Amino acid sequence: MLKRDFNIHVDDQDLLDEAFTQASYVNEHRDQNLKFYERLEFLGDAVLQLIVSEYIFTRYPKLPQGRLTRLRAAMVNEQSFSTFARECHFNKYIRLGKGEEKAGARDRDSLLCDIFESFVGALYLDQGKKVVEGFVQQVIFPKLDEGMFAEFFDHKTELQELAQEDGPVDIDYELVDEYGPENDRLFKVNVAIDHKVLGIGVGHSKKDAEQKAAQQALKHFDKREDNLV
Amino acid sequence: MLKRDFNIHVDDQDLLDEAFTQASYVNEHRDQNLKFYERLEFLGDAVLQLIVSEYIFTRYPKLPQGRLTRLRAAMVNEQSFSTFARECHFNKYIRLGKGEEKAGARDRDSLLCDIFESFVGALYLDQGKKVVEGFVQQVIFPKLDEGMFAEFFDHKTELQELAQEDGPVDIDYELVDEYGPENDRLFKVNVAIDHKVLGIGVGHSKKDAEQKAAQQALKHFDKREDNLV
């Protein structure tokens, strides 16, 4: 599965098993001297924090610390990690005790988040940081472009910060069109910086359209680099 | 200074300057197009989290997750980082605005902690993780052996957890001696596991002596490795 989906090879199968084993399973198989995932989760959490930090630090070279911190918090949390774990089909591989299985732990966000971290911890120990970066580049980073964290990413504030970095400028949002039926109304907004239109956005609310216009305008300020440091 | 004290060389002097520059200084020197340390602090924080996590994960291979987390929190915080920053004489190199200087920011724990992190962020970008590990091995890790985090490190609990890992055992603490003047009394405590004395501790309270006895006994269970993974 790892090989097929992510082109990842793991040498130490025991370590990988540990990453997917909950304490309840260990307790039911005391004769097998198994380990459960928690220590690997501790390590994986720190690995993910650093790799995500490094990526957004490099990708958004002008984003101030406070916003980097908020973006990282939006990316590194139970909700997003459990989503990633499901997308990777990690839920299939978790080893649970019978009671936990019955209680529905296999689909619990908190467990899936833990397992995502413990898997990363195991991968890091087994294959090193570069391989984890390759995995994260497939699983987490594309979500940034797909808008998964858009709600945490306030483009209007970002635009204001970037545009005014070299001194004050005029930023104006203008509603230029409104169309569609009452119950499915669409709004079109332009954003202009010093009277030059740099972005257009369409959305189901003016606020949403403004965010999208700002997002488009941001491309004029973007010094993205596509590679991890 | 870095060269002499830590055998560290930094290629990008601008990056190093950035790590030691507070926003107040940047504001007073707008013509110089300077950057302040905050983004580097964001990165350095994550670097330190991972390196410390990895070290204690490896050094204490049987420490459960909860205690790893507590130990990391004891090592990675404002109090300890500001101490390290002072020991490294980083306070001398901070560039502050006049107002902040007057207000005594140079000796403020919160600033020193930030600067410790931003320095690590700069070092990481400039020289990579191995060099940061070398620095941390000189500055932070020896503190573990010197007992800097002892108050957070409950040896009695740790001993109990390790000793009982393969089944229940008897752990007994016995006061074997008491001496010295009333106002400077010393207590001597033995700890025995299944009636075999494994540690002796002396302290100004029974509790302290028990902790020290437990710490000594822990050596029998220690599978430390001295190298970072």
Side-chain angles (χ1 to χ4, degrees):
Chain A
M1 178 277 287
L2 287 173
K3 186 76 196 155
R4 192 193 61 218
D5 293 349
F6 304 108
N7 196 27
I8 283 174
H9 167 79
V10 173
D11 285 321
D12 186 344
Q13 185 61 41
D14 287 348
L15 198 62
L16 196 60
D17 289 344
E18 181 180 336
F20 285 92
T21 303
Q22 208 208 25
S24 62
Y25 185 90
V26 175
N27 289 335
E28 286 183 11
H29 300 81
R30 286 189 175 277
D31 51 319
Q32 291 178 43
N33 200 18
L34 298 170
K35 289 176 174 178
F36 48 89
Y37 69 74
E38 288 191 304
R39 278 175 44 93
L40 290 173
E41 177 207 344
F42 166 83
L43 183 64
D45 168 70
V47 172
L48 285 162
Q49 285 274 356
L50 176 58
I51 291 178
V52 169
S53 299
E54 199 169 346
Y55 180 75
I56 61 177
F57 178 92
T58 309
R59 176 165 172 167
Y60 304 106
K62 295 195 158 191
L63 209 60
Q65 179 194 37
R67 308 202 56 233
L68 286 171
T69 303
R70 268 193 285 142
L71 177 57
R72 180 175 63 191
M75 296 173 75
V76 177
N77 63 43
E78 185 175 298
Q79 201 195 330
S80 58
F81 282 5
S82 59
T83 302
F84 303 146
R86 284 194 184 89
E87 287 177 357
C88 297
H89 306 294
F90 283 176
N91 45 344
K92 285 197 227 164
Y93 304 96
I94 304 171
R95 303 197 294 185
L96 290 169
K98 293 193 187 83
E100 281 288 278
E101 188 73 81
K102 261 192 184 160
R106 189 174 294 278
D107 285 311
R108 203 182 288 149
D109 281 358
S110 58
L111 177 62
L112 287 164
C113 169
D114 288 354
I115 294 291
F116 188 76
E117 293 177 330
S118 61
F119 166 73
V120 164
L123 189 61
Y124 180 75
L125 287 177
D126 195 70
Q127 298 287 313
K129 183 159 169 276
K130 282 256 169 283
V131 170
V132 178
E133 280 171 0
F135 171 74
V136 167
Q137 251 168 339
Q138 294 173 73
V139 175
I140 302 183
F141 298 154
K143 305 294 184 192
L144 268 171
D145 296 309
E146 293 164 15
M148 180 172 173
F149 313 110
E151 60 199 290
F152 300 93
F153 222 133
D154 177 0
H155 301 301
K156 284 180 68 176
T157 306
E158 189 182 5
L159 182 62
Q160 196 176 333
E161 285 170 355
L162 288 183
Q164 303 198 333
E165 212 168 51
D166 303 317
V169 294
D170 277 327
I171 306 180
D172 288 307
Y173 292 87
E174 190 191 359
L175 181 67
V176 289
D177 203 0
E178 227 190 287
Y179 50 91
E182 275 299 321
N183 61 350
D184 193 27
R185 202 80 180 145
L186 283 167
F187 301 87
K188 187 173 173 182
V189 166
N190 278 353
V191 59
I193 294 183
D194 284 341
H195 311 294
K196 189 179 164 194
V197 174
L198 294 183
I200 301 171
V202 174
H204 283 289
S205 68
K206 284 181 213 170
K207 205 176 149 192
D208 186 33
E210 285 175 2
Q211 283 291 342
K212 284 176 178 161
Q215 187 173 15
Q216 199 179 79
L218 278 171
K219 289 181 182 155
H220 293 272
F221 297 88
D222 218 355
K223 295 183 185 168
R224 286 179 187 176
E225 294 170 53
D226 282 319
N227 302 312
L228 274 169
V229 172
Chain B
M1 178 275 290
L2 288 173
K3 187 74 196 155
R4 191 193 62 216
D5 293 350
F6 305 108
N7 196 26
I8 282 175
H9 166 79
V10 173
D11 286 321
D12 187 344
Q13 184 62 39
D14 287 347
L15 198 62
L16 196 62
D17 289 344
E18 182 180 336
F20 285 91
T21 303
Q22 207 208 28
S24 62
Y25 185 91
V26 176
N27 289 335
E28 288 183 10
H29 300 81
R30 285 189 175 277
D31 51 318
Q32 292 179 43
N33 200 20
L34 298 170
K35 291 177 172 178
F36 49 88
Y37 69 73
E38 288 192 302
R39 280 174 45 93
L40 290 173
E41 176 206 344
F42 166 84
L43 183 64
D45 168 70
V47 172
L48 285 161
Q49 285 274 355
L50 177 58
I51 291 178
V52 169
S53 299
E54 199 169 347
Y55 180 75
I56 61 178
F57 178 92
T58 309
R59 174 165 174 167
Y60 304 107
K62 296 194 158 193
L63 209 60
Q65 180 195 37
R67 307 202 55 230
L68 285 171
T69 303
R70 266 192 288 144
L71 177 57
R72 181 175 63 192
M75 297 173 73
V76 177
N77 63 44
E78 185 175 299
Q79 202 197 330
S80 57
F81 283 4
S82 59
T83 302
F84 303 146
R86 283 194 185 90
E87 288 177 357
C88 296
H89 307 294
F90 283 177
N91 45 344
K92 285 197 228 165
Y93 303 97
I94 303 172
R95 302 198 293 184
L96 289 169
K98 294 193 188 84
E100 282 288 279
E101 188 73 81
K102 262 193 185 160
R106 188 174 295 277
D107 284 311
R108 202 182 288 148
D109 281 358
S110 58
L111 176 62
L112 287 165
C113 168
D114 289 354
I115 294 292
F116 188 76
E117 293 178 330
S118 61
F119 167 72
V120 164
L123 188 61
Y124 180 76
L125 287 176
D126 195 71
Q127 298 288 314
K129 183 159 167 280
K130 282 257 169 281
V131 170
V132 178
E133 280 170 1
F135 171 73
V136 167
Q137 253 168 338
Q138 295 174 73
V139 175
I140 302 183
F141 298 155
K143 306 292 184 191
L144 268 170
D145 296 310
E146 294 164 15
M148 179 170 173
F149 313 110
E151 59 198 292
F152 300 93
F153 222 131
D154 177 359
H155 301 301
K156 285 181 68 176
T157 307
E158 189 182 5
L159 181 62
Q160 195 176 335
E161 285 170 357
L162 288 182
Q164 302 199 334
E165 210 165 53
D166 303 317
V169 293
D170 278 326
I171 305 180
D172 288 306
Y173 292 87
E174 191 192 357
L175 182 66
V176 291
D177 203 359
E178 229 189 285
Y179 51 91
E182 273 300 321
N183 62 350
D184 192 28
R185 203 82 180 143
L186 283 166
F187 300 87
K188 187 173 173 183
V189 166
N190 278 355
V191 58
I193 294 182
D194 284 343
H195 312 295
K196 191 180 163 193
V197 174
L198 294 184
I200 301 170
V202 175
H204 283 287
S205 69
K206 284 183 213 169
K207 206 176 148 192
D208 186 33
E210 284 175 5
Q211 284 290 345
K212 284 177 178 160
Q215 187 174 14
Q216 197 178 81
L218 278 170
K219 290 183 181 154
H220 293 271
F221 297 89
D222 217 356
K223 295 183 184 167
R224 286 180 188 178
E225 295 170 53
D226 281 322
N227 301 314
L228 275 169
V229 171

